[in-house]
Amino acid sequence: MTGPNSLADHHTGTPIRRLAAIPQPTFPKPAVSPPTGRSAQPGAPTTGGTPARFAWTITVPVIVVGMFLSGLNSNIVNSALPAMAKQLDASTVDIQWVKTAYYMALAVAVVASGWLGNRIGLRRLYVIALGLFAVTAALCGIAEDLDSLLLFRMLQAIPGGIVPIVCISLLMRLTPPQRLGPAISLYAAGAISAPALSPLFGGFFTEDLDWRLVFYATVPIALLGIVAALIVLPADAHGQHQSFDLPGFLLASTGLPALVLALAKGQQWGWDSYPILILLAVAVDALALFAIVELNSSAPLVDVRIFLQKRFLLALALMQLLYTALVALVSYVPSFLQQDQSLTPAYAGKVMLAPALVWIVVVLSSGWVYGRFGARRPAILGFALVAVGALLLTRLNVDLPRPQVILASCVLCAGLGIALIPIMAAAIAVLPASLVGTGMMVRTIVQRVTATFGLYLLSAMTTAHNTQLAADRSALYRTGAQTDPTIQQMRQHNPQALVALWRTVSAQVSAQGYGNAFLVVAVISLAGGLLAVVRTWDRSPRNPGN
């Protein structure tokens, strides 16, 4: 049974069908050609002469191009930051603004994406966003100083925030209900392959070529996506003339960037420093006023009633726990390989290729798993695998063989792949029909704003631990220098050997810090698994119209 009424009974139909049955009331339906042929279903989209049941195999890859670009632009610059800092004459601290500025602007763009989709149309907005990706990537590539690069990165965040909302809306609109499972898997595999492959691409460009290719390489992909979208995606209907909630937008544009900046700079500036406290106060006040304005608006940007949906919030929390493990993996393991095991960026990217492939393969099957078993059992299994992989990564040390690093990373990626898509789908499926569009937007905002928050907390813990551990090691060596003849000989005859000894100690301390961070990830993953077991979070609403 399809349609909204199929959500009334949790026991009716598979989870994929329950998810597919939810309409998308927030966006105008695109105009599609009438289906032809026996295999076409009434009301289902077609692409050219392709029957509706096969059209999704063409439309979904076109939609994936946008999500791949969005993920790539968010993650690939991480490997290029040292090269950028060197050529642009920026400090290690200042170059981090390339990421921070991007996320601040991203949070603002996501809020306006729903209104833009209504006003412009999904296909038009998708094409415009890809065009902005191409233009802003080229601008980032020609930046001559840090200030211009920051400006262009903030402009690049505009399509980066719009694309996820538009892509998932197009996917839900253009995919027949019975094909939504494999379509979601294909979409997710393409979307998450960007962060998975970013270390490989970024290392190759920065080491063997030029860091500017990190941006230039995305231009032809964006242009190809534009051509494919114009050919494949059905034309939009006329946009809705809905008034723009300017007060709500201004409040969100104040609160969300303030929150992102506070989370990003809390460790560096001090969590109890005046700038951070002021930023947090501004964020809390602005977002509180935003909620009041939205509740009283006739055309709100975000329906804040969604925060009363407990099952959605629980699924969202589980998703964020997985993202913490994901960000830790893609940030810490490449850093460990480059800093502590002295691998080149390109070589570190090759080491991370196997986990990326495992991730993609598992995600491709996760749609079927969700349709067969629902969300809870894959979530529990996924969290267990993530915990096991994280525990294996607690053994990181300078002498750890790389096959063991690859094995542990593969286990962790398998857990992420099998749990993430069912939880993402369940987060939408548990919502009543009227809140689905808002749910997709809120999920994207929370993911983008807090994706690195867990990493900042882990980094703060790791830095504090490393500082204490380094001080302890230094005290031991200073004490041992009075009695150890080897150290005394180094001091007298070979001072350079002391430098090499210190570098070895620093690498050992750094590796142990990464290992401790993954211990925290393992604990978080176990907590997520327990939450998935004891709480009811994956059941569809009994009154889908509310």
Side-chain angles (χ1 to χ4, degrees), residues 428-482:
I428 300 301
V430 298
L431 288 174
S434 59
L435 292 177
V436 169
T438 301
M440 293 188 295
M441 185 185 304
V442 169
R443 180 186 66 79
T444 304
I445 293 174
V446 171
Q447 173 192 339
R448 299 292 184 173
V449 172
T450 66
T452 55
F453 181 52
L455 180 63
Y456 290 130
L457 292 180
L458 290 174
S459 298
M461 297 172 56
T462 302
T463 300
H465 174 82
N466 288 358
T467 302
Q468 183 61 48
L469 189 59
D472 294 342
R473 293 283 184 94
S474 299
L476 288 175
Y477 279 108
R478 284 195 298 268
T479 303
Q482 307 301 323

Side-chain angles (χ1 to χ4, degrees), residues 51-176:
R53 61 177 177 177
F54 299 118
W56 69 273
T57 61
I58 301 176
T59 57
V60 173
V62 173
I63 296 170
V64 165
V65 172
M67 280 305 298
F68 181 83
L69 281 174
S70 179
L72 197 65
N73 280 283
S74 296
N75 295 276
I76 197 171
V77 298
N78 294 337
S79 301
L81 289 179
M84 291 179 186
K86 182 178 180 180
Q87 186 170 346
L88 299 178
D89 195 23
S91 67
T92 304
V93 174
D94 290 341
I95 201 65
Q96 295 298 321
W97 281 100
V98 173
K99 294 192 301 182
T100 304
Y102 182 85
Y103 283 114
M104 290 173 62
L106 194 75
V108 176
V110 173
V111 175
S113 61
W115 182 86
L116 289 172
N118 282 332
R119 185 67 182 86
I120 299 175
L122 292 180
R123 190 183 79 156
R124 295 189 193 97
L125 186 57
Y126 183 63
V127 171
I128 292 172
L130 291 183
L132 288 175
F133 264 134
V135 172
T136 54
L139 290 174
C140 289
I142 64 174
E144 294 296 332
D145 53 46
L146 181 59
D147 291 338
S148 60
L149 179 59
L150 292 179
L151 174 62
F152 298 147
R153 278 291 283 173
M154 293 180 72
L155 293 176
Q156 195 175 40
I158 296 176
I162 292 173
V163 160
I165 304 299
V166 175
C167 286
I168 191 64
S169 301
L170 284 170
L171 178 74
M172 300 291 288
R173 282 292 170 79
L174 301 179
T175 306

Side-chain angles (χ1 to χ4, degrees), residues 59-354:
T59 57
V60 173
V62 173
I63 296 170
V64 165
V65 172
M67 280 305 298
F68 181 83
L69 281 174
S70 179
L72 197 65
N73 280 283
S74 296
N75 295 276
I76 197 171
V77 298
N78 294 337
S79 301
L81 289 179
M84 291 179 186
K86 182 178 180 180
Q87 186 170 346
L88 299 178
D89 195 23
S91 67
T92 304
V93 174
D94 290 341
I95 201 65
Q96 295 298 321
W97 281 100
V98 173
K99 294 192 301 182
T100 304
Y102 182 85
Y103 283 114
M104 290 173 62
L106 194 75
V108 176
V110 173
V111 175
S113 61
W115 182 86
L116 289 172
N118 282 332
R119 185 67 182 86
I120 299 175
L122 292 180
R123 190 183 79 156
R124 295 189 193 97
L125 186 57
Y126 183 63
V127 171
I128 292 172
L130 291 183
L132 288 175
F133 264 134
V135 172
T136 54
L139 290 174
C140 289
I142 64 174
E144 294 296 332
D145 53 46
L146 181 59
D147 291 338
S148 60
L149 179 59
L150 292 179
L151 174 62
F152 298 147
R153 278 291 283 173
M154 293 180 72
L155 293 176
Q156 195 175 40
I158 296 176
I162 292 173
V163 160
I165 304 299
V166 175
C167 286
I168 191 64
S169 301
L170 284 170
L171 178 74
M172 300 291 288
R173 282 292 170 79
L174 301 179
T175 306
Q178 68 274 20
R179 304 296 178 186
L180 195 61
I184 289 176
S185 296
L186 181 59
Y187 168 84
I192 68 172
S193 62
L197 298 175
S198 290
L200 179 63
F201 293 153
F204 172 71
F205 288 143
T206 56
E207 180 185 344
D208 298 330
L209 299 171
D210 188 286
W211 67 264
R212 297 180 186 275
L213 287 173
V214 165
F215 299 109
Y216 289 145
T218 63
V219 174
I221 301 176
L223 296 178
L224 179 63
I226 291 174
V227 174
L230 292 174
I231 295 174
V232 172
L233 300 183
D236 291 307
H238 294 293
Q240 299 177 1
H241 294 278
Q242 179 180 340
S243 61
F244 184 67
D245 182 11
L246 182 60
F249 178 75
L250 292 177
L251 288 169
S253 299
T254 301
L256 290 175
L259 179 60
V260 171
L261 184 58
L263 297 180
K265 298 298 180 180
Q267 178 185 351
Q268 178 186 340
W269 296 350
W271 290 103
D272 57 350
S273 64
Y274 283 114
I276 295 299
L277 293 177
I278 291 173
L279 285 171
L280 290 175
V282 169
V284 171
D285 292 343
L287 293 178
L289 288 174
F290 172 75
I292 295 174
V293 168
E294 296 305 281
L295 286 173
N296 293 277
S297 175
S298 58
L301 290 173
V302 178
D303 190 343
V304 295
R305 294 177 301 164
I306 195 170
F307 293 103
L308 300 177
Q309 301 291 324
K310 295 181 179 179
R311 292 172 181 170
F312 172 77
L313 296 180
L314 283 171
L316 203 61
L318 293 174
M319 204 182 312
Q320 293 312 118
L321 293 179
L322 287 176
Y323 274 118
T324 299
L326 167 61
V327 173
L329 176 69
V330 299
S331 300
Y332 286 153
V333 174
S335 296
F336 161 76
L337 294 171
Q338 295 176 52
Q339 297 174 7
D340 303 332
Q341 292 200 333
S342 301
L343 299 185
T344 63
Y347 199 144
K350 293 177 183 177
V351 172
M352 297 301 295
L353 180 59

